[in-house]
Amino acid sequence: MRLVLPALLALLPLSAPAVSQTATATAQAQQPVYELRIYYPAPGKADALNARFRNHTLKLFAKHGMHNVAYWNELPRPDAPEGRLVYILSYPSREARDADWKAFGADPEWQKVVAESEANGKLVTKVESIFMSMADYSPPLHPRR
């Protein structure tokens, strides 16, 4: 018995990192994923882009399981005279995000909205996407319902 206990104790440092890494990975997997998206409107298309979001996109996002957190219009600046559209969506996981976007993009209603809203040209010249997790010190988000 005297030899077994020291042998087991010697193995603890080897197994502890694996346990803590697994716990950390599990905690991260259970955290919602936030996606910050920034749309650069084509010249003269900011109003049409906002109308598409207001009248169609938010509802279609919700239909496909995406949680609309918040939307902003950037104030005009010299290099972006119409500003940019900035918004945040949340998802249960990165995998859920990918599945939601795939379903959204394939939705015939969305495809119709895009075709109609871009009949006179594209509304967006560039999209940036940043994935985030909530910092442990962040105040909680309280979504409006």
Side-chain angles (χ1 to χ4, degrees):
M1 183 67 163
R2 286 185 193 176
L3 296 176
V4 173
L5 185 58
L8 288 175
L9 291 175
L11 292 175
L12 279 178
L14 297 175
S15 63
V19 170
S20 70
Q21 288 173 356
T22 303
T24 301
T26 302
Q28 287 175 345
Q30 293 173 350
Q31 284 188 356
V33 171
Y34 296 89
E35 183 178 13
L36 171 70
R37 293 181 62 89
I38 304 169
Y39 284 39
Y40 294 73
K45 302 289 186 174
D47 288 342
L49 179 61
N50 279 297
R52 183 166 77 185
F53 270 86
R54 182 181 307 107
N55 299 327
H56 305 285
T57 309
L58 272 76
K59 293 175 211 153
L60 288 167
F61 281 169
K63 173 183 172 183
H64 291 285
M66 303 151 144
H67 176 72
N68 294 289
V69 176
Y71 290 77
W72 297 268
N73 286 296
E74 180 185 36
L75 297 175
R77 53 186 206 182
D79 63 333
E82 294 183 86
R84 298 174 293 182
L85 172 62
V86 179
Y87 65 98
I88 297 174
L89 298 172
S90 71
Y91 319 88
S93 67
R94 185 68 185 264
E95 295 77 17
R97 181 265 182 206
D98 294 344
D100 292 348
W101 274 95
K102 184 176 181 180
F104 170 76
D107 188 315
E109 185 179 354
W110 170 244
Q111 292 171 359
K112 180 181 176 191
V113 165
V114 171
E116 289 174 358
S117 63
E118 295 187 347
N120 294 318
K122 290 250 181 221
L123 301 185
V124 176
T125 61
K126 178 181 174 183
V127 176
E128 292 179 350
S129 185
I130 301 167
F131 294 96
M132 307 172 293
S133 62
M134 188 69 71
D136 63 354
Y137 51 83
S138 177
L141 291 177
H142 299 287
R144 289 186 275 164
R145 297 191 186 221

